[in-house]
Amino acid sequence: MQIITTKQEILQQVEACKRQHKTIGLVPTMGALHQGHASLVQRAVAENDVVFVSVFVNPTQFNNKEDLEKYPRNLERDAKLLESIGAHFVFAPTPEEMYTAQEMNTTFQYDFDGLDKVMEGKMRPGHFNGVVQVVSRLFYLVQPTKAYFGEKDFQQLAIIHQMVERSALKDTFSDLQIIGCPIVRQADGLALSSRNERLSESEKKLATNIYKTLKSSMEWAKNATVKEVEQRVVDTINAIDGLEVEYYEIVDQTTLLPATDFSHAIGCVTVYSGPVRLIDNIKY
Ligand code: AMP
């Protein structure tokens, strides 16, 4: 496995792969890797000749300076994990390598057909512009056959699908297949997240109530309306000292618009444990 830090080297390696007609898998990450990321990389290794994993804490998608500064970073440990899984290239550029000063400070405006107006988009203005800025740049550089994203960031996955399949960029990425991968959880149900590293053991234990509540809501949904279930989830999590819900929205899995019933619906939650922001979801 080779660690690459410049765009020029990436382009050279990608060109060599293309010359040999190799299929390329790409897994974009922000590092501090765990078994959730590993599941994406394992699938990419199984389905492609060559796998590139990017490890880049993308400053343009953070709208909270403290979150960016405190985001865990450990390239050495990440590289060991990726090598053990069989990834071929790790792309770990600096922000300066990735962006010009102007690009770093410009607010990009992509049209997401409204998908960015709800949930994460509403709470984190500009977040998805930053995500698409970095993901589209990675797609241009790596020219993957398949790119892998987790369903844990369900809205992000919906927006990437939109970009590749329905936006003005769709012709550019017409050969690219986006693969959504299931959420990997601890045995106690807590969704794996790099941000969990910022929680103490007791906070982690409290945070297991997030998924427990989502699972209970599957039962509640049998005898209640969407609005009633949303409210009960919020009330149940907020009743736990140390957890505070930012939003719980039950939406259509494709449009992300508020669901009127539970068919094809997904519930997406964001919960604060102190300053740490945790997200999770459940399909009804
Ligand atoms: P991140 O490093 O948080 O930007 O995540 C990189 C990719 O890994 C994204 O596509 C995430 O959705 C995915 N991912 C993160 N956590 C998990 C998890 N617990 N299960 C599955 N995929 C995940």
Side-chain angles (χ1 to χ4, degrees), residues 89-135:
F89 296 100
V90 178
F91 180 43
T94 60
E96 293 72 26
E97 174 67 20
M98 208 56 172
Y99 300 122
T100 63
Q102 196 198 355
E103 284 171 335
M104 191 91 87
N105 294 312
T106 313
T107 309
F108 285 79
Q109 291 298 341
Y110 298 96
D111 178 12
F112 300 116
D113 202 20
L115 292 176
D116 61 324
K117 297 287 180 279
V118 294
M119 303 192 289
E120 291 300 282
K122 208 157 58 182
M123 297 303 168
R124 305 179 68 186
H127 168 66
F128 287 118
N129 286 305
V131 168
V132 166
Q133 181 185 18
V134 73
V135 170

Side-chain angles (χ1 to χ4, degrees), residues 33-241:
L33 302 180
H34 48 65
Q35 287 306 312
H37 299 109
S39 71
L40 272 57
V41 179
Q42 274 153 355
R43 182 148 175 208
V45 168
E47 294 181 352
N48 300 274
D49 299 326
V50 181
V51 171
F52 289 74
V53 180
S54 59
V55 174
F56 178 60
V57 182
N58 174 34
T60 69
Q61 73 187 66
F62 282 80
N63 54 335
N64 178 326
K65 209 164 159 256
E66 188 189 341
D67 194 23
L68 173 61
E69 276 162 13
K70 297 238 167 100
Y71 201 87
R73 293 161 169 89
N74 194 334
L75 184 58
E76 210 175 305
R77 207 180 63 192
D78 290 346
K80 276 197 191 123
L81 176 68
L82 292 173
E83 181 144 42
S84 74
I85 302 172
H88 303 87
F89 296 100
V90 178
F91 180 43
T94 60
E96 293 72 26
E97 174 67 20
M98 208 56 172
Y99 300 122
T100 63
Q102 196 198 355
E103 284 171 335
M104 191 91 87
N105 294 312
T106 313
T107 309
F108 285 79
Q109 291 298 341
Y110 298 96
D111 178 12
F112 300 116
D113 202 20
L115 292 176
D116 61 324
K117 297 287 180 279
V118 294
M119 303 192 289
E120 291 300 282
K122 208 157 58 182
M123 297 303 168
R124 305 179 68 186
H127 168 66
F128 287 118
N129 286 305
V131 168
V132 166
Q133 181 185 18
V134 73
V135 170
S136 58
R137 175 140 312 176
L138 290 167
F139 287 173
Y140 283 121
L141 287 169
V142 179
Q143 299 168 54
T145 323
K146 292 180 178 168
Y148 297 79
F149 294 87
E151 290 192 342
K152 172 157 172 292
D153 299 272
F154 192 83
Q155 191 172 5
Q156 168 174 284
L157 177 59
I159 281 178
I160 305 282
H161 270 296
Q162 201 269 343
M163 169 177 102
V164 168
E165 289 151 22
R166 298 185 294 278
S167 81
L169 294 174
K170 72 173 192 298
D171 293 337
T172 317
F173 299 128
S174 56
D175 293 334
L176 165 57
Q177 210 182 325
I178 302 298
I179 313 281
C181 303
I183 301 178
V184 177
R185 301 177 179 281
Q186 293 183 178
D188 59 16
L190 179 63
L192 296 184
S193 164
S194 306
R195 288 186 175 88
N196 293 354
E197 286 187 23
R198 293 177 59 197
L199 301 177
S200 67
E201 283 312 308
S202 60
E203 285 169 333
K204 273 189 203 155
K205 208 156 174 218
L206 273 188
T208 61
N209 286 296
I210 299 169
Y211 186 57
K212 265 189 208 132
T213 308
L214 295 188
K215 270 208 310 203
S216 302
S217 79
M218 297 289 278
E219 284 302 310
W220 306 338
K222 290 178 185 162
N223 296 303
T225 65
V226 167
K227 287 290 155 218
E228 286 165 350
V229 170
E230 281 177 344
Q231 194 58 49
R232 191 162 172 191
V233 166
V234 173
D235 292 345
T236 306
I237 297 177
N238 280 345
I240 298 158
D241 220 13

